[in-house]
Amino acid sequence: MLDVARLRVLVAVARRGSLTAAAKELHYSQPSVSHHLARLEAETGAKLVQRAGRGIRLTEAGRLLAERAADIIGRLDATAEELAAHVGLRSGRVRLAAFPSALGTFIPKAAGLLARAHPGLRLQLTETEPPEALRLLRAGRVDVAVMFRYDDTAPEDSGIHMVHLLDDPSYLVSGTAPGEVTDHAGSAWIAGCDRCRSHLLDVCDKAGFEPRIAFTSDDIVAVQALVAAGLGLTMLPGLALAAHRHPDVEVAVVPGSTRHVYAAVYGEPPYPPATEALLTALRDSASPGR
């Protein structure tokens, strides 16, 4: 059976890129890291690292084992947190990843609801876009991922349970009266994150043209500043405009363009008490009129 402590060493080496950096992260000596790697190679019967100049690099077998080990360790750590949570919600932590405009709108309210209901429960927040949030969820590094998808977004991987929170309409954003998407076949456009950019391309394709992307940024403040300066127009969801609205932009709803916001959880219910408490806070904070 593979030793978990040695797997942690391999994961740290893969993440940090050197024995010295891995030793510093783990608070080990460098000889101790080398010893753990040597023992892990003996356990697996595979060459996991090789010299590369003055440093080292993982072999193909080492990279494969490091990837699998990262998932295993993530799930082990998550399980330890779940077991601790079953003792009660007077202490412990729950980890949430969410995209920026959610963090700028309903997530703080959810955090407040959670803190009042369970004062001893510590909430850890990570800001990231949906693909990375789901990767963190699968690896057991977060307990809940608040993410969004459009009707034209590819389905998520199996094993992910989606709890619907809200529907978020899209808006055409311009420095003047926006009109409709079909009015802007010749205009310059400003695109956002990969998932939003893909949706923009799909909306414009349905309108009969391919947009000319002049700028790309996932910073809603910068995007609206570019629009206000007359450098292009963009599409933004309602949450983004609620989080920040430049005074010199005009908006118009885009019919049929809505993103769906979910709280994603790994596996099927019932979930640990801390995760359930966070889901309740998220549902309450995202509900209209709450």
Side-chain angles (χ1 to χ4, degrees), residues 70-71 74-75 78 95-98 125-145 160 264 266:
D71 289 343
R75 300 312 304 172
R95 301 162 299 171
L96 172 66
L125 293 173
T126 299
E127 178 184 311
T128 189
E129 296 293 344
E132 175 64 10
L134 291 173
R135 190 189 71 79
L136 293 174
L137 181 67
R138 285 191 295 269
R141 294 173 62 185
V142 299
D143 304 296
V144 179
I160 303 295
Y266 192 84

Side-chain angles (χ1 to χ4, degrees), residues 74-87:
R75 300 312 304 172
L76 284 173
D77 290 344
T79 300
E81 291 291 334
E82 291 171 8
L83 289 173
H86 279 290
V87 175

Side-chain angles (χ1 to χ4, degrees), residues 149-187:
R149 66 186 317 279
Y150 295 94
D151 292 335
D152 50 31
T153 303
E156 311 303 340
D157 293 345
S158 61
I160 303 295
H161 180 69
M162 312 281 275
V163 178
H164 181 259
L165 296 178
L166 60 95
D167 291 324
D168 193 15
S170 298
Y171 293 84
L172 193 59
V173 184
S174 175
T176 58
E180 299 180 357
V181 173
T182 51
D183 299 328
H184 297 283
S187 300

Side-chain angles (χ1 to χ4, degrees), residues 8 11 29 33 39 87 98 104 106 131-132 139 143 150-151 159-160 170 186 234 237 255 258 270 275 277:
R8 288 187 186 275
V11 170
S29 67
V33 169
R39 292 296 301 160
V87 175
F106 67 90
E132 175 64 10
D143 304 296
Y150 295 94
D151 292 335
I160 303 295
S170 298
T234 192
T258 299
T275 300

